[in-house]
Amino acid sequence: MSITTLAAARTHLGQRHNKTGEETFLSFEKFPYTGLSKTYCVDRQVADSACSATAYLCGIKANEATIGVTAAVKLSDCAAMSNKSYHVHSVAHLSQLQGKRTGLVTTTRVTHASPSGVYAHTANRDWEADTDIELAGNDPKKCIDIAQQLIHGETGQKLNVIFGGGRYNFLPNNVTDEDNKPGWRSDNRNLIKEWEQLKNNTKHKYINDLNSLKNLSTDTEYVLGIFDNSHMAYNLDRDVKRKPSLSEMTTKAIEILSQEKKGFFLFVEGGRIDHAHHDTLARKALDETIEFHKAIEAAINMTNSDETLIVVTSDHAHTMTLNGYPSRGNKILDIGGKGDDKLPYTTLSYANGPSAVNGSRPNITTHNLEDPDYKYPSFVMLDSETHGGEDVGIFASGPWAHLFTGVTEQHVIPHILSYASRIGNYTNRLDYSSSNKHVNSLLLTLFLIVIGFFQKYYLVY
């Protein structure tokens, strides 16, 4: 969700409502405080979602493709990842220690890189199931897979809400799921049933479709909602009668988590923005961003900004550009102008990706740009478009949101979250709210005195 993605998505949103589009705002763009996040990893200029999730959830920078561990753990180092002294814990874990409810919502697999930052400790983001570890030539009994960590791990087992996709990582490869698709595990374990057994003495529910989500009681203590075999479908491809939207999952998560008087922590990811960009599917990337905007809008409407801090940011950027000199109100997903070769180009294009061409550019006036699966042009041919390394936005509203300003190292974000919610190292911090009121009153008094002084001076003069 780069700055370019935001600019293009807000324009697309406005144009859906018959406006020129450029003047439109996404819900979180109206937040009172904004900043920039520096996203690099310890060993990479351009981050992946594993090291970046570790940064903005656990408070340290890590190596590429590692999650919830320090930089002492190199990629695929099973022995190092098993060393608990190298583990780092997320804001969710620290919230749990203070009796808060916790949850995660994503449109990707719940074992994917970003949501895994909430609960996992691994040397390889791809080790989502035991089969992945075996195929990498390692022992899954020594390197615990991410799905198993979600169900049995110190943080994962205490999550009150888990919504997303990725069912196959929890099921044996000799069974099929509710969508008649096979599992992936080689250890013959059904982690969904194991989760249910662990929650036997609580009010819990496993759900797998939209109807079950809608009917889920808000007094449920624990819910595991796995809605697809792998990633959830893009919103433009979604079966709206069977599969929930990101905003529907977010709404239900807040309803359940807010039952706890001590408060809650919720991670919400519009993860398929990233996937659409990797395939240069600009239309789907913008639509997924708009779905994310709707989810944040739902959260805003359900919470009180006096007591709830909402922070919106990105793992990293992408290489999509918004370029040329198209007229005001020109469709953002359409042709933006012509090159010196007299051939048209799209307003949106990518620096690299699977849609580059060898030789002369095609005449895209014959292409169906309305097709959701149209791959927008890229310059350098790659199987998958890469991330971008520029800073990404931070948008904040609520208590202590003013700390999210300026250019910030990405790993500072969870320290501010911890400070604001009095968890981790900040559990016993002083509460400055009352003293702030005195300071504000003092400043106001001084301001009035100064104004009075100048008024008097002016009248005497």
Side-chain angles (χ1 to χ4, degrees), residues 70-84:
T70 71
V73 179
K74 306 298 182 183
L75 179 63
S76 301
D77 188 340
C78 177
M81 89 174 234
S82 301
N83 186 340
K84 290 189 176 182

Side-chain angles (χ1 to χ4, degrees), residues 269-304:
E269 182 200 24
R272 304 229 64 191
I273 301 170
D274 170 79
H275 295 169
H277 276 319
H278 279 308
D279 287 334
T280 67
L281 301 175
R283 184 175 293 274
K284 285 186 173 178
L286 301 193
D287 182 74
E288 292 295 317
T289 306
I290 291 171
E291 288 300 298
F292 185 65
H293 136 85
K294 292 177 183 176
I296 302 305
E297 192 169 47
I300 294 168
N301 293 334
M302 295 180 69
T303 56
N304 182 345

Side-chain angles (χ1 to χ4, degrees), residues 152-257:
H152 294 284
E154 184 180 5
T155 304
Q157 65 174 296
K158 295 178 183 177
L159 291 171
N160 300 92
V161 174
I162 303 167
F163 289 157
R167 200 181 295 128
Y168 69 70
N169 285 317
F170 298 86
L171 299 176
N173 54 22
N174 58 359
V175 302
T176 56
D177 68 4
E178 296 89 343
D179 295 323
N180 201 33
K181 295 180 179 179
W184 178 238
R185 301 192 66 83
S186 302
D187 56 11
N188 205 36
R189 293 173 65 177
N190 186 323
L191 294 180
I192 294 174
K193 288 185 178 179
E194 290 183 21
W195 179 87
E196 291 179 310
Q197 291 168 356
L198 285 171
K199 307 303 179 192
N200 252 344
N201 298 322
T202 65
K203 186 163 186 180
H204 67 280
K205 189 75 173 177
Y206 165 67
I207 60 175
N208 57 67
D209 60 18
L210 175 58
N211 188 56
S212 299
L213 180 73
K214 287 182 175 179
N215 294 325
L216 186 66
S217 174
T218 56
D219 64 356
T220 303
E221 293 179 70
Y222 296 94
V223 55
L224 176 63
I226 311 291
F227 302 106
D228 273 286
N229 189 255
S230 183
H231 298 304
M232 296 182 69
Y234 287 114
N235 178 63
L236 291 176
D237 301 328
R238 179 170 61 93
D239 182 344
V240 297
K241 294 182 179 179
R242 294 187 61 245
K243 306 294 183 178
S245 66
L246 184 61
S247 57
E248 287 170 329
M249 291 190 290
T250 301
T251 298
K252 183 61 71 172
I254 294 175
E255 288 175 353
I256 293 171
L257 296 175

Side-chain angles (χ1 to χ4, degrees), residues 370-436:
E370 298 290 328
D371 182 359
D373 290 315
Y374 179 76
K375 291 183 181 292
Y376 276 68
S378 55
F379 178 65
V380 176
M381 177 63 77
L382 291 173
D383 288 341
S384 177
E385 178 264 359
T386 71
H387 298 163
E390 67 267 32
D391 297 350
V392 295
I394 309 173
F395 305 85
S397 173
W400 299 99
H402 63 281
L403 297 179
F404 291 100
T405 56
V407 179
T408 302
E409 292 285 1
Q410 192 171 44
H411 65 284
V412 172
I413 292 173
H415 293 282
I416 299 176
L417 296 177
S418 296
Y419 184 87
S421 52
R422 300 175 69 131
I423 59 176
N425 293 331
Y426 308 102
T427 303
N428 298 316
R429 71 164 172 81
L430 295 175
D431 189 347
Y432 295 103
S433 57
S434 58
S435 59
N436 275 343

Side-chain angles (χ1 to χ4, degrees), residues 11-12 15 19-23 322-338 345-348:
T11 303
H12 186 45
Q15 291 176 348
K19 299 178 181 178
T20 56
E22 298 86 357
E23 72 287 350
L322 196 164
N323 62 92
Y325 298 104
S327 300
R328 174 73 186 274
N330 188 66
K331 286 186 178 181
I332 196 68
L333 288 159
D334 214 329
I335 292 170
K338 287 186 177 181
Y345 58 84
T346 51
T347 303
L348 301 179

